[in-house]
């Protein structure tokens, strides 16, 4: 066994928020590359200093670089020359954000409402002056300072120019209805919509014939929202982030085209979820990520192509038998998955119904990667060992250790008379995160090295609050091991 220690290095990179600096470096880099190409293909040019090589870059390169800027800053470039005036008028990327509108001294001088009026005039003027007929992306972030008429007018200005991606963020006092210009836009491929809690209403007719990605953020979904998912014939990716259900009692996600579904909610919407059933029936779905409060019921059907499943519940308080039976039913319906990730509440819930789970076992023949958040105690280890027994072809085990409790000194992690197939022939990598050098963790490491016969990597990542000591690595290096090829690595805590 080889024992190594390594530390993470920090790489500095420009922040995405500093758009002006990012665009400047992109322009400079492209100019240098173009200059080098010219030198390699042509004779040396001794015309002297002051040549504007940036302006001579192709239109599409300049447009792509300027897409990192807000439209207010792009328009200012038109004063440089006729060339730059042409560039901004043909820009296929339009990005309007009221939070980054105007000079700082102007924003301090005028009230929010005056700035909002100037912002509105700016968008109207740009849409009138622009000559780009095929927009790649139209971004609009305008808070709650504009009425429905303004919003629809700007969206119509984008959809009539064959926009491919719409990124919208605003708040209305009334429910927002997807207008006809939305659903009939044949060029639209991506729709990212943030409503800050407003209700989303659907039109009487559907379209979205080319929509492939739908990302809804802070949207209150209605009972009719389910129709939207099934009405998009080529929709591949659906993300619901921090959405609430209002009076909705059933969210039905049924689609033959969806390959990726993510339900994420990190805000306090527990009551909204507890009164709503979620049903997912997508025969071509490959990835399912559920990271939200527990719904009243989660029904998984016809997931014949599933490959990645993540189940993370928030705001549960105590894990109950109800949680355990729900998780057990869910994982039974995704038995063909190759990667499974479960939270601490799922593990504790499964332990509440451990007898039922053992009486109705499910075998994950295709499971290659198992990711668990656990306590290194008797309760969670019982569930983990059962999952290992049910995963004969498992190759990767990734554990996140939370607060640990003790176990009975007479209790063993594993009955030596029972065979765990993956430990005998398949498990190659084990990673223990948030290591605290506690007795239970050391016992788990001892067990892993002693029983995993084809183990190649054992990675131990220190907890951010733990006192790192060489004693732990020295002690682990003395543990007996079944695999002579295993490499044990201790890593410092990485906050990223």
């Amino acid at each position: 066994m080889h024992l190594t220690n390594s530390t993470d290095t920090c790489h500095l990179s420009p922040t995405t928020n500093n758009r002006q600096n990012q665009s400047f470096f992109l322009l400079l880099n492209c100019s240098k590359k173009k200059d080098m190409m010219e030198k390699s293909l042509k004779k040396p040019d001794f015309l002297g200093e002051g040549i504007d090589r940036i302006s001579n870059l192709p239109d599409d390169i300049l447009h792509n670089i300027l897409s990192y800027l807000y439209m207010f800053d792009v328009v200012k470039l038109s004063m440089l020359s006729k060339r730059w005036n042409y560039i901004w008028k043909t820009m296929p990327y339009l990005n309007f954000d009221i939070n980054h509108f105007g000079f700082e001294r102007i924003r301090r001088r005028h009230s929010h409402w005056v700035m909002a009026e100037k912002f509105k005039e700016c968008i109207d003027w740009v849409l009138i002056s622009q000559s780009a007929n095929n927009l790649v992306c139209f971004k609009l972030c305008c808070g709650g300072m504009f009425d429905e008429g303004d919003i629809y007018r700007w969206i119509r200005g984008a959809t009539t120019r064959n926009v491919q991606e719409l990124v919208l963020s605003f708040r209305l006092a009334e429910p927002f209805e997807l207008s006809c210009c939305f659903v009939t836009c044949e060029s639209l491929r991506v729709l990212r919509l943030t409503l800050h809690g407003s209700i989303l209403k659907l039109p009487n007719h559907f379209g979205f014939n080319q929509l492939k990605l739908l990302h809804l953020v802070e949207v209150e979904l209605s009972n009719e929202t389910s129709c939207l998912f099934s009405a998009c014939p080529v929709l591949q990716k659906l993300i619901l982030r921090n959405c609430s259900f209002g009076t909705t009692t059933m969210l039905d996600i049924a689609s033959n085209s969806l390959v990726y579904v993510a339900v994420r909610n990190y805000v306090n919407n527990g009551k909204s979820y507890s009164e709503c059933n979620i049903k997912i029936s997508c025969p071509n779905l490959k990835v399912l990520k559920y990271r939200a409060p527990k719904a009243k019921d989660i029904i998984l059907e016809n997931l014949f192509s599933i490959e990645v499943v993540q189940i993370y519940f928030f705001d549960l308080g105590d894990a109950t038998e109800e949680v355990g039976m729900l998780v057990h039913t869910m994982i039974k319906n995704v038995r063909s998955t190759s990667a499974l990730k479960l939270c601490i509440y799922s593990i504790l819930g499964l332990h509440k119904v451990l007898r039922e789970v053992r009486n109705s076992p499910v075998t994950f023949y295709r499971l290659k990667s198992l990711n668990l958040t656990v306590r290194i105690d008797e309760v969670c280890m019982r569930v983990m060992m059962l999952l290992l027994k049910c995963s004969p072809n498992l190759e990767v085990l990734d554990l996140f250790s939370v607060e640990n409790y003790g176990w009975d000194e007479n209790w063993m992690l594993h009955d030596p008379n029972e065979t765990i197939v993956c430990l005998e022939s398949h498990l190659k990598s084990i990673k223990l995160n948030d290591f605290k050098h506690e007795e239970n963790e050391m016992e788990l490491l001892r067990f892993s090295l002693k029983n995993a016969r084809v183990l190649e990597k054992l990675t131990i990542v220190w907890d951010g609050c733990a006192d790192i000591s060489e004693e732990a690595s020295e002690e682990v290096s003395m543990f007996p091991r079944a695999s002579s090829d295993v490499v044990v690595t201790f890593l410092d805590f990485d906050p990223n």
Side-chain angles (χ1 to χ4, degrees):
M1 175 178 69
H2 310 286
L3 183 65
T4 63
N5 285 275
S6 64
T7 57
D8 296 327
T9 58
C10 180
H11 301 280
L12 297 177
S13 60
T15 61
T16 55
N17 291 332
N18 197 339
R19 296 176 179 269
Q20 286 81 0
N21 288 342
Q22 189 175 22
S23 299
F24 170 77
F25 286 119
L26 284 169
L27 284 167
L28 184 61
N29 189 41
C30 289
S31 178
K32 288 181 177 179
K33 289 182 178 179
K34 185 173 183 290
D35 188 31
M36 292 173 62
M37 292 176 63
E38 289 176 349
K39 288 182 179 180
S40 63
L41 296 176
K42 298 180 180 180
K43 294 180 180 180
D45 186 3
F46 301 101
L47 294 179
E49 299 294 334
I51 300 174
D52 183 5
R53 294 186 177 91
I54 293 178
S55 296
N56 291 329
L57 290 171
D59 293 359
D60 57 342
I61 293 180
L62 289 175
H63 287 154
N64 186 54
I65 294 171
L66 295 179
S67 68
Y68 290 89
L69 298 178
Y70 298 105
M71 205 59 206
F72 177 76
D73 298 313
V74 174
V75 171
K76 288 188 290 185
L77 293 173
S78 65
M79 296 181 291
L80 295 176
S81 66
K82 291 182 179 180
R83 167 70 172 152
W84 286 97
N85 187 54
Y86 168 80
I87 288 299
W88 94 260
K89 284 189 175 182
T90 57
M91 268 286 289
Y93 304 90
L94 305 184
N95 186 357
F96 302 98
D97 190 332
I98 195 168
N99 299 310
H100 298 273
F101 174 70
F103 297 107
E104 180 64 29
R105 65 176 184 273
I106 296 178
R107 290 200 295 268
R108 288 199 302 264
R109 186 184 307 166
H110 298 290
S111 68
H112 292 301
W113 293 109
V114 172
M115 290 304 298
E117 188 63 28
K118 292 181 179 296
F119 181 75
K120 180 168 67 172
E121 292 173 356
C122 177
I123 298 180
D124 291 338
W125 177 77
V126 168
L127 292 177
I128 292 174
S129 305
Q130 261 264 323
S131 59
N133 293 321
N134 294 287
L135 294 181
V136 175
C137 183
F138 179 87
K139 296 182 180 180
L140 173 65
C141 177
C142 58
M145 306 185 72
F146 302 93
D147 59 32
E148 195 175 69
D150 294 325
I151 302 295
Y152 283 134
R153 184 175 68 257
W154 295 331
I155 293 173
R156 193 178 304 111
T159 56
T160 54
R161 299 183 189 203
N162 303 311
V163 66
Q164 296 179 34
E165 179 178 0
L166 276 175
V167 182
L168 308 172
S169 176
F170 51 83
R171 180 175 61 254
L172 295 173
E174 300 296 327
F176 176 71
E177 181 175 347
L178 292 176
S179 61
C180 180
C181 66
F182 263 109
V183 298
T184 59
C185 183
E186 292 294 327
S187 61
L188 190 60
R189 303 290 190 275
V190 177
L191 174 58
R192 305 179 191 272
L193 180 62
T194 302
L195 293 184
H196 301 283
S198 297
I199 300 174
L200 177 64
K201 291 185 62 178
L202 301 183
N204 294 326
H205 56 283
F206 288 99
F208 290 126
N209 292 328
Q210 302 300 322
L211 190 67
K212 293 186 177 181
L213 188 154
L214 178 60
H215 189 169
L216 302 180
V217 182
E218 296 179 13
V219 173
E220 182 175 322
L221 306 176
S222 59
N223 283 309
E224 58 188 14
T225 307
S226 298
C227 301
L228 174 62
F229 310 139
S230 58
C232 302
V234 297
L235 185 64
Q236 297 179 358
K237 193 170 184 178
L238 173 64
I239 302 173
L240 305 178
R241 182 162 66 89
N242 292 346
C243 293
S244 60
F245 300 124
T247 59
T248 303
T249 57
M250 170 64 80
L251 179 67
D252 191 354
I253 303 175
S255 169
N256 290 325
S257 59
L258 275 172
V259 297
Y260 182 103
V261 170
V263 180
R264 301 171 184 164
N265 196 314
Y266 306 111
V267 298
N268 187 18
N269 278 329
K271 187 175 187 298
S272 172
Y273 276 74
S274 65
E275 297 175 354
C276 182
N277 298 305
I278 299 178
K279 180 180 179 182
I280 302 175
S281 178
C282 305
N284 293 303
L285 191 68
K286 294 183 181 298
V287 178
L288 172 60
K289 297 181 179 181
Y290 187 96
R291 302 175 68 89
K294 186 185 78 68
K296 184 177 182 179
D297 194 9
I298 303 174
I299 305 163
L300 306 180
E301 293 181 350
N302 304 320
L303 304 187
F304 307 124
S305 306
I306 198 70
E307 296 178 0
V308 177
V309 177
Q310 297 182 6
I311 304 174
Y312 259 64
F313 295 132
F314 292 93
D315 300 328
L316 269 183
D318 295 324
T320 62
E321 293 184 5
E322 180 185 0
V323 174
M325 290 307 300
L326 174 61
V327 174
H328 182 48
T329 303
M330 291 176 69
I331 62 177
K332 283 177 65 176
N333 291 323
V334 293
R335 64 184 67 197
S336 63
T337 186
S338 58
L340 178 63
K341 187 173 185 177
L342 299 177
C343 67
I344 182 67
Y345 292 114
S346 299
I347 301 299
L348 296 176
L350 286 172
H351 185 264
K352 294 279 188 179
V353 293
L354 201 58
R355 178 178 299 177
E356 291 84 348
V357 174
R358 285 173 172 161
N359 292 336
S360 180
V362 54
T363 302
F364 301 95
Y365 288 106
R366 297 184 182 179
L367 190 64
K368 300 293 184 181
S369 174
L370 181 61
N371 184 304
L372 306 175
T373 300
V374 295
R375 300 192 306 239
I376 311 300
D377 61 8
E378 185 174 341
V379 170
C380 291
M381 292 299 99
R382 286 183 186 276
V383 177
M384 185 193 77
M385 298 307 295
L386 180 59
L387 290 172
L388 292 181
K389 292 175 185 178
C390 296
S391 310
N393 298 306
L394 188 69
E395 296 180 357
V396 177
L397 176 62
D398 203 349
L399 301 175
F400 286 81
S401 171
V402 295
E403 185 178 2
N404 299 321
Y405 298 90
W407 58 48
D408 190 298
E409 61 181 11
N410 296 319
W411 181 76
M412 295 184 299
L413 269 170
H414 170 57
D415 185 349
N417 296 320
E418 295 182 357
T419 300
I420 300 180
V421 175
C422 69
L423 290 177
E424 296 286 335
S425 56
H426 287 87
L427 191 60
K428 298 178 181 179
S429 174
I430 298 176
K431 186 175 183 180
L432 177 59
N433 298 277
D434 298 327
F435 177 71
K436 307 169 191 65
H437 194 193
E438 295 179 351
E439 182 179 349
N440 293 4
E441 296 171 326
M442 297 299 286
E443 187 61 31
L444 176 61
L445 296 176
R446 185 195 305 274
F447 169 83
S448 301
L449 287 170
K450 183 178 180 180
N451 293 277
R453 297 187 176 278
V454 296
L455 190 64
E456 297 175 358
K457 295 191 301 182
L458 176 60
T459 305
I460 303 144
V461 182
W462 284 94
D463 182 82
C465 299
D467 294 327
I468 299 176
S469 69
E470 294 294 331
E471 179 184 345
S473 59
E474 293 174 0
E475 188 176 351
V476 171
S477 68
M478 301 301 293
F479 288 164
R481 53 201 180 275
S483 172
S484 59
D485 298 324
V486 62
V487 176
V488 179
T489 305
F490 279 81
L491 298 176
D492 292 346
F493 171 75
D494 182 3
N496 298 321

